[in-house]
Amino acid sequence: MAMQRTFSIIKPDATRRNLTGAINAMLEGAGLRIVAQKRIRMTQEQAEGFYGVHKERPFFNDLVTFMTSGPVVVQVLEGEDAVVKNREVMGATNPVEAAEGTIRKTHAENIEANSVHGSDSPENAEIEINFFFDEDEIVG
Ligand code: CMP
């Protein structure tokens, strides 16, 4: 498997509890390299655009409100099979269903405030990376 990039967000519930370092340690421990990272306050337009695929879902408005409620850390992660590796270390969307030792099992508060986002495919990773980063901000 070749080197791959994926996109990650440390969400407001995690930055509020000062868990950026703890989560980064879990990402690095899983063999992922943080090759770009910035702490931002997402605008409503950014959150609506980023989660546009969920527009018709009942939780969409709450999700946008939550994602703009505090700082987030957007990241590019690099490694072999990075998309799958990141999804494994994140754990299931709902922390109740997440495996022991995963980020969401360890840190998430509930299905919405679930501490991290990670791309679900290499194709979406590229789209999501381009949504927040210019190529010259990514240093592998
Ligand atoms: P994420 O991986 O960022 O992708 C979409 C987000 O929507 C998800 O994590 C959760 O934060 C949120 N989400 C997904 N399903 C639900 C749900 N049933 N209720 C509330 N929030 C949800």
Side-chain angles (χ1 to χ4, degrees), residues 11-12 15-16 39-42 65-72:
K11 297 188 179 185
T15 60
R16 176 170 43 78
R39 182 172 167 111
I40 62 167
R41 185 72 181 249
M42 236 188 242
T65 299
F66 167 63
M67 291 300 289
T68 55
S69 68
V72 300

Side-chain angles (χ1 to χ4, degrees), residues 68-136:
T68 55
S69 68
V72 300
V73 179
V74 292
Q75 305 175 307
V76 180
L77 309 178
E78 196 171 82
E80 292 207 357
D81 212 5
V83 171
V84 167
K85 233 178 220 173
N86 186 39
R87 291 185 74 76
E88 282 172 2
V89 70
M90 284 194 306
T93 303
N94 187 347
V96 170
E97 293 161 10
E100 287 298 331
T102 61
I103 294 170
R104 284 167 169 164
K105 180 72 175 187
T106 308
H107 293 302
E109 295 182 321
N110 53 58
I111 193 169
E112 176 180 82
N114 63 357
S115 299
V116 282
H117 163 84
S119 308
D120 62 4
S121 68
E123 295 73 27
N124 282 337
E126 193 178 346
I127 293 167
E128 293 178 355
I129 288 168
N130 290 334
F131 196 93
F132 286 104
F133 289 96
D134 292 328
E135 190 58 40
D136 66 3

